[in-house]
Amino acid sequence: MTVNFKTLKSFVTAVDAKSLSAAAHQLSVAQPALSQHIASLEDHFKRKLLVRSNAGVTPTPAGAQLYRQAQIMLGHLDQLERDLANRIDASAISGPVSVGLATYSTASILSMPLLKAVRSRYPEVNLFINDNFGLVLSEMVMTGRMDMAIIYAGSPMKGVTLQPLLTEELFLIAPAGLQLPHTDDQTIALRALAGIDLLLPSRMHFLRRAVDEAFARVGVVPNIRAEIESSETLRQAIEAGVGATILPAALADFSSPANPPIIRRIVEPGLQATVSLCVPNHLPMSDQARAVLDILRAQIDDLFATGRLPGISAPPEQVPSA
C-alpha cells in the first residue's frame, strides 16, 4: 500500500488517540486494518513511527515529524473539501480566510474596517481574525493554520516570507491632565519618563523588548506598574488615569473624544518598529485569501494617503525570507 490520505489519517488519529484500538473505533475500521496502515507507512519511510506499550502508542522522533506534516496535508484536504462543498457559484470568491494582527500594531485598528469590507465585497468569505503575539501568529502561518498575518519582525523567520508594510514611531500616550516633565507639546525625551507610571505589554511582546532595550541604553529603570496585553483594557486604564504607555499612536485612538489622552513622540532616542506581512513560503494562497489580502493592502495604503495617524511611514528595505 502506498502513502495516501487514508493511511496518513490513520496514523494521525492513532497519535491523537494514543491507542490503536481507540483510533480504530474512531475511524470505524478493524484494528488489524489500522495496524496494516501504520506498518505500510513504516515500510515506506524505512523508519519506526510508533512505540507500542501497555499504556498505548507514542510517536518516535520520525513519527513526530511525519505527524506534523501529515496534519498540514490533511488540513489542506479538509479545507479543499469544504471550499468545494460550500461553493455556490464556481466563479464566486468564497471559503474561510484567517488573518493575524499583532497586538498593539497600527494594523490592529484595521480589524473592523477589514471585516466590514470583506462582508460587503465577498459575502461568501468567512473571515477569522486573530489578535495575538507575532511569534504565535508566524508559527500558525508557517504550519498552514493561518493564511496571513501582520506582525512585528526584526529578522527573517524560517518557513515564512516577510514583506515590510510600514514603519511606526512610538509615542508616550498618557492620561489627560498628567503632569509631565518640562517638554514641548510634540515630543518628550525617553529619559524624562523615569518617574512616570507605565503600563506596557509583557516581555513576550516585540514592542516591550524594544522599549526595555531603549531604556537600558539611556541608563533609566522604568517604573512599570502593570503589564497588559488587551488593547481595550489598556485604553480604559489610561482613561482612568492608572498610568501611561509607550506604543504606536494608533493606540491613542480612544472612543471618548471629550477626554483625549496626551500624546508625545519619544525622542533621544526615537523609537521605531517595522510591521510586516507574513505569509508561508511553501504553501499556495487560496483565491479568497488573495482577495482579502488585496483589501488589507488597500486599507494600509489608505492610512498613508489620509495621514490621520502620526508616526507612520513607508517601510524600509524588505526583510529577506528564510
Side-chain angles (χ1 to χ4, degrees):
M1 181 182 295
T2 58
V3 177
N4 54 44
F5 286 115
K6 186 173 183 179
T7 56
L8 292 176
K9 179 68 172 177
S10 295
F11 175 72
V12 167
T13 304
V15 173
D16 288 339
K18 299 181 176 61
S19 164
L20 293 182
S21 60
H25 178 73
Q26 290 181 31
L27 296 169
S28 299
V29 299
Q31 186 172 332
L34 177 64
S35 296
Q36 181 58 42
H37 290 173
I38 304 300
S40 70
L41 289 172
E42 291 181 328
D43 182 65
H44 177 84
F45 290 108
K46 309 300 182 190
R47 294 287 189 278
K48 188 173 181 62
L49 301 174
L50 291 179
V51 176
R52 298 161 176 81
S53 68
N54 292 335
V57 295
T58 56
T60 64
Q65 184 176 3
L66 175 62
Y67 174 78
R68 290 191 295 270
Q69 296 301 320
Q71 278 188 311
I72 294 173
M73 289 185 280
L74 291 171
H76 286 306
L77 178 63
D78 290 342
Q79 187 62 67
L80 177 60
E81 290 174 344
R82 288 195 296 269
D83 288 350
L84 294 178
N86 294 333
R87 187 170 289 243
I88 299 173
D89 179 355
S91 64
I93 298 295
S94 64
V97 178
S98 52
V99 179
L101 300 173
T103 309
Y104 295 136
S105 70
T106 297
S108 66
I109 69 170
L110 297 178
S111 56
M112 187 55 64
L114 178 65
L115 185 61
K116 290 180 178 179
V118 171
R119 177 83 172 171
S120 174
R121 294 177 58 181
Y122 303 109
E124 298 300 322
V125 168
N126 180 19
L127 187 62
F128 170 72
I129 298 176
N130 187 339
D131 185 353
N132 214 319
F133 292 109
L135 288 177
V136 174
L137 297 177
S138 63
E139 174 71 19
M140 294 179 72
V141 170
M142 182 182 67
T143 57
R145 291 176 292 160
M146 180 167 285
D147 293 299
M148 70 195 81
I150 297 181
I151 65 173
Y152 293 106
S155 60
M157 296 179 177
K158 183 178 179 180
V160 300
T161 297
L162 297 171
Q163 179 185 349
L165 297 176
L166 57 89
T167 296
E168 303 171 322
E169 289 185 272
L170 302 190
F171 291 73
L172 174 72
I173 304 172
L178 178 69
Q179 294 299 312
L180 295 177
H182 177 69
T183 178
D184 60 41
D185 61 356
Q186 298 293 326
T187 65
I188 188 168
L190 185 65
R191 191 183 302 275
L193 305 184
I196 294 178
D197 290 346
L198 293 177
L199 313 172
L200 296 176
S202 73
R203 288 181 173 85
M204 291 181 62
H205 202 290
F206 179 92
L207 290 181
R208 171 60 184 279
R209 295 195 297 272
V211 169
D212 284 349
E213 290 169 3
F215 272 120
R217 287 196 299 271
V218 297
V220 170
V221 178
N223 186 23
I224 299 172
R225 306 304 298 174
E227 296 179 334
I228 301 174
E229 292 298 346
S230 165
S231 298
E232 184 56 33
T233 300
L234 181 63
R235 288 191 181 100
Q236 291 177 14
I238 294 173
E239 285 187 304
V242 176
T245 192
I246 301 174
L247 288 173
L251 272 295
D253 192 13
F254 286 11
S255 58
S256 176
N259 195 32
I262 297 169
I263 305 174
R264 298 286 187 273
R265 178 180 281 103
I266 303 294
V267 295
E268 300 176 13
L271 302 182
Q272 293 184 334
T274 298
V275 180
S276 298
L277 171 68
C278 174
V279 294
N281 64 9
H282 58 292
L283 299 171
M285 183 172 284
S286 66
D287 291 342
Q288 64 267 27
R290 291 186 182 279
V292 170
L293 178 55
D294 288 342
I295 293 176
L296 194 54
R297 287 184 182 279
Q299 291 180 334
I300 290 174
D301 288 343
D302 187 59
L303 290 179
F304 290 111
T306 60
R308 70 181 182 89
L309 291 176
I312 63 171
S313 58
E317 185 178 350
Q318 182 167 339
V319 177
S321 60

